[in-house]
């Protein structure tokens, strides 16, 4: 009760991507809705900072009540991605300034920026608050299918890349680089003591969230019983 929850929501242009059941942006909104539903009762307050490309972040002050939570979600859903890349480290840092009472901080992003640009801010945030990282990912970010020549557009820069997916060595190199990238994300979060919830565009996000919450409750219950 009287918990204060803050969401750091990354809605940069790279989130407007998806090759399966959802866009990554859909998963960001789903995660925000789930966190609001789980924390809004009992007089708890929820607020958000939203980044959508280059430029200042959008603030939604922390308040209690379902009506406020619904307004927060409408504000997040109505945010339009701007050109450029969201400063994820700056977005996370915004949750610490000004200093707030201990609470829950949820960072929702695809974490595509190199960890050195956001990991220090996550570590500082985790010193004072309980932190959860929600990582959204599309399967094509992990491996490429063999579908011939693809023209891929970087949504944040507009640069077009022509990719020959029939090249087996290219697909293998891509998969290895993607695995290394995700391992670096996981390592940075683990070093900060921050649990990670991964949501995929080809999976049922609701089941994934329920499993994560149930797993965290089991860990806490087991720890309290010792």
């Amino acid at each position: 009760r009287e918990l204060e929850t803050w969401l750091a929501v990354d809605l940069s242009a790279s989130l407007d991507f998806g090759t399966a059941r959802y866009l990554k942006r859909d998963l960001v909104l789903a995660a925000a809705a789930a966190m609001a539903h789980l924390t809004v009762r009992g007089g708890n307050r929820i607020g958000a900072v939203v980044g959508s490309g280059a430029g200042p972040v959008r603030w939604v002050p922390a308040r209690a009540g379902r009506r406020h939570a619904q307004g927060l979600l409408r504000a997040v859903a109505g945010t339009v991605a701007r050109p450029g890349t969201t400063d994820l480290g700056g977005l996370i840092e915004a949750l610490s300034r000004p200093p707030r009472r201990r609470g829950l901080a949820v960072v929702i992003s695809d974490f595509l920026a190199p960890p050195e640009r956001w990991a220090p801010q996550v570590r500082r945030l985790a010193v004072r608050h309980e932190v959860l990282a929600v990582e959204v990912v599309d399967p094509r970010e992990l491996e490429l299918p063999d579908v011939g020549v693809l023209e891929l557009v970087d949504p944040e820069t507009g640069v077009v890349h022509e990719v020959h997916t029939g090249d087996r060595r290219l697909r293998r190199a891509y998969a290895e680089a993607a695995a290394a990238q995700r391992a670096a994300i996981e390592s940075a979060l683990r070093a900060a003591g921050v649990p990670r919830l991964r949501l995929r565009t080809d999976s049922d996000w609701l089941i994934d969230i329920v499993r994560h919450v149930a797993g965290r409750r089991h860990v806490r219950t087991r720890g309290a019983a010792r």
Side-chain angles (χ1 to χ4, degrees), residues 197-214:
L197 165 59
R198 173 180 281 188
L199 302 180
R200 292 175 53 118
T201 62
D202 60 347
S203 182
D204 188 323
W205 62 266
L206 183 57
I207 290 177
D208 292 337
I209 290 176
V210 169
R211 285 174 176 166
H212 176 84
V213 172

Side-chain angles (χ1 to χ4, degrees), residues 56-205:
V57 302
R58 181 176 185 179
W59 286 84
V60 180
R63 293 176 182 155
R66 291 187 179 275
R67 181 172 297 179
H68 167 71
Q70 290 170 354
L72 181 150
L73 294 174
R74 284 195 296 269
V76 173
T79 299
V80 178
R82 296 189 297 259
T85 303
T86 298
D87 178 6
L88 183 57
L91 188 67
I92 297 169
E93 186 71 22
L95 297 184
S96 300
R97 296 181 180 177
R100 297 180 175 86
R101 59 184 295 181
R102 293 182 183 273
L104 172 64
V106 183
V107 182
I108 310 173
S109 175
D110 53 13
F111 293 93
L112 292 183
E116 58 268 21
R117 296 185 185 175
W118 51 263
Q121 291 84 351
V122 169
R123 288 196 297 269
R124 287 194 293 269
L125 187 66
V127 169
R128 183 170 179 82
H129 303 281
E130 180 179 357
V131 181
L132 169 65
V134 180
E135 177 194 15
V136 296
V137 62
D138 185 85
R140 296 289 76 82
E141 294 173 327
L142 305 177
E143 60 182 8
L144 286 175
D146 182 359
V147 291
V149 178
L150 285 180
E151 282 193 353
L152 303 178
V153 181
D154 187 325
E156 296 181 350
T157 65
V159 176
V160 178
H161 302 273
E162 189 175 85
V163 179
H164 297 267
T165 63
D167 187 333
R168 183 179 300 175
R169 290 175 298 178
L170 172 65
R171 296 199 308 273
R172 182 171 61 248
Y174 181 95
E176 291 174 351
Q181 179 189 45
R182 297 298 163 176
I185 294 170
E186 184 177 8
S187 177
L189 294 173
R190 188 187 306 114
V194 172
R196 179 190 64 167
L197 165 59
R198 173 180 281 188
L199 302 180
R200 292 175 53 118
T201 62
D202 60 347
S203 182
D204 188 323
W205 62 266

Side-chain angles (χ1 to χ4, degrees), residues 8-33:
V9 184
D10 178 8
L11 281 175
S12 53
S14 66
L15 277 301
D16 288 325
F17 176 76
T19 63
R21 300 170 65 180
Y22 313 102
L23 295 177
K24 292 197 294 180
R25 180 186 180 93
D26 297 333
L27 296 184
V28 170
L29 298 178

